[in-house]
Amino acid sequence: MSRIGKEPVKIAEGVTVTVSGQNVTVKGQLGELSYTMHEGITANVEDGILKVACADDDKYGNFHGLARALINNMVIGVSAGYTKKLVIEGTGFKAALQGKNLSLSLGFASPKIYAIPEGITVTVENDGLQVTVTGCEKALVGEAAARIRSFYPAEPYKGKGIKYDYEVIRRKVGKSGKK
C-alpha cells in the first residue's frame, strides 16, 4: 500500500473537485485542470476531502501515490498557483518581454527568443535581471523555467548565466599563473 496514496487530499476553500469515472476535474480561481486516472485507481470526494483508492496493490500500486500526488498538485495549483524565479547575472545580460515571447540577451550574436506557452505568465523585473514564471500547472511552470534556464545555465568560473533564485553556484578557481 502506498504511503502517499492513502493520505487524504484536503480541498482548499473556493475549489471544486468533480470525479466522473476515471476523470478528475479541479476548478478554482486560477483556472481549471483535469486528469485521467489509471484504470485500477478510483477517487471519491466526501466533506471537502478527496480520497484515492487502489483496486489491487500488486498490479496498480505504482499509480496509487502518483494519482494522489497529481490531484494534490492540481488543487494547490488552482487555489494558490506555482511560481519559479530565475536570476540573470552577467554584464549586458538581460531579459525583455515582446508580446507572447521572452527575448533574452545573453552575449550571443542575436537574442534568444522563448515562446511563452498557454497557461503560463512570465514577468520581467529588476531591469530585466529577474524573470518570474507563474501558472497553475506545476509541471508546465517547471518545464518553462527549465527551458529558459537552458539557454545559458550559470557557469562555475565567473557565475554568469541564468540560475534559480535559490540555487547556489559552486565557484571554481581559474587557471593559476606561472610560479
Side-chain angles (χ1 to χ4, degrees), residues 13 16 80 102 107 121 132 144-145 158:
E13 195 75 26
T16 59
L102 178 69
T121 305
T132 305
K158 292 184 180 177

Side-chain angles (χ1 to χ4, degrees), residues 13-17 26-33 74-75 77-79:
E13 195 75 26
V15 175
T16 59
V17 178
V26 181
K27 293 180 186 177
Q29 62 184 6
L30 296 179
E32 178 180 343
L33 297 172
M74 290 175 12
V75 170
V78 298
S79 62

